[in-house]
Amino acid sequence: MTGLGGGAAAPGDYVYFKSVVPLHKISGYRVISIDVPQVWNHHEWIHSFEKFLDSMNIHHVHICGTSLGGFLAQIFAQYRPRRVKSLVLSNTFLETHKFAAAMPWSPLVSWTPSFLLKRYLLTGIRDGPHEPFIADSVDFVVGQVETLSREDLSSRLILNVNVASVGSLSLPDSFITIMDTNDYSAVPRQLKDQVNERYSSAKRAVLRTGGDFPFLSRPDEVNLYLQLHLRRV
């Protein structure tokens, strides 16, 4: 991204981020990054993700999810336990009641203009000042949100506020790693603590800072913890 004046990239710009963070390739693991499709409830998510795995001829997976992605990963592990070998959960939650209560207008999401949905989605991201790499990660995510269609935005918001909670998992705690940041994130500390209490014997990976998107702002640390997790399980 460039500034309005088209000047040189500076900390906080994605161009700057790419210029100072080299591309790393890690051999030995097959990694697939997915976007949540346009689904309107959690059961649709389960079926769509399972169909995706079938289409890729993937029978078992290790899932890493952040925030809503971590919640959906747990839901999938609950209802499709034979397919999930392990979980890495980052800045996530067990239930959506708090988000639903904070969004009483959720029944109107499907009719809400795109610019209002984007504005609401971005209100959870803390305004600066940030450390440079956290600012870069926020800049990147904001740019990605701008590319989403109204339907994509509506779907993600609805998944976040449809009242639901994660039930009991058959996956042992020893196959779960909880990777949280100790600074600000949009997921309240109370909800993150519930995850730690539920999986009390899970491995802990604590990042001193990293904000909402540690996989972007702290990629070296996150990759290290992911490799340690996969070697262990």
Side-chain angles (χ1 to χ4, degrees):
M1 299 177 187
T2 58
L4 292 178
D13 292 326
Y14 182 51
V15 172
Y16 176 83
F17 174 78
K18 289 199 299 182
S19 71
V20 297
V21 179
L23 178 66
H24 293 285
K25 291 187 177 181
I26 301 173
S27 60
Y29 301 109
R30 182 186 184 189
V31 180
I32 301 174
S33 176
I34 68 164
D35 287 327
V36 178
Q38 287 181 26
V39 292
W40 305 99
N41 58 62
H42 301 115
H43 290 291
E44 284 187 21
W45 149 250
I46 294 166
H47 291 303
S48 67
F49 187 44
E50 186 165 47
K51 288 176 67 176
F52 169 77
L53 294 178
D54 290 341
S55 72
M56 299 288 288
N57 197 31
I58 298 171
H59 303 292
H60 304 100
V61 289
H62 304 267
I63 307 178
C64 176
T66 298
S67 192
L68 175 61
F71 176 74
L72 295 176
Q74 294 172 85
I75 291 289
F76 189 78
Q78 176 185 345
Y79 287 96
R80 297 294 185 271
R82 294 183 179 180
R83 303 201 74 156
V84 179
K85 303 295 286 184
S86 73
L87 293 172
V88 177
L89 306 173
S90 177
N91 291 342
T92 191
F93 45 90
L94 293 172
E95 47 90 10
T96 60
H97 298 78
K98 189 176 185 69
F99 301 113
M103 192 176 173
W105 53 276
S106 59
L108 303 176
V109 163
S110 298
W111 293 276
T112 304
S114 178
F115 77 93
L116 288 178
L117 295 177
K118 291 176 182 177
R119 182 183 301 172
Y120 182 82
L121 197 64
L122 294 174
T123 55
I125 300 178
R126 187 179 187 180
D127 291 333
H130 292 297
E131 296 178 40
F133 283 118
I134 296 177
D136 293 335
S137 71
V138 170
D139 184 62
F140 176 77
V141 170
V142 170
Q144 293 297 297
V145 169
E146 291 297 329
T147 69
L148 295 176
S149 68
R150 188 174 68 83
E151 291 74 19
D152 285 329
L153 293 163
S154 299
S155 170
R156 295 183 191 195
L157 284 171
I158 286 175
L159 288 175
N160 209 62
V161 300
N162 272 353
V163 176
S165 58
V166 177
S168 177
L169 302 187
S170 61
L171 192 69
D173 284 8
S174 58
F175 287 81
I176 299 173
T177 292
I178 298 173
M179 181 166 48
D180 284 342
T181 54
N182 264 349
D183 56 352
Y184 174 85
S185 79
V187 176
R189 170 57 61 183
Q190 177 188 2
L191 298 187
K192 294 200 288 187
D193 288 344
Q194 289 175 1
V195 175
N196 282 279
E197 291 168 8
R198 168 72 68 87
Y199 310 117
S200 57
S201 298
K203 293 292 183 180
R204 300 292 189 276
V206 180
L207 303 174
R208 186 177 61 83
T209 62
D212 286 297
F213 317 107
F215 53 93
L216 294 173
S217 61
R218 294 288 182 268
D220 289 338
E221 291 180 67
V222 170
N223 285 337
L224 175 61
Y225 282 130
L226 289 175
Q227 291 180 75
L228 291 173
H229 170 87
L230 290 172
R231 290 170 186 168
R232 179 171 55 82
V233 301

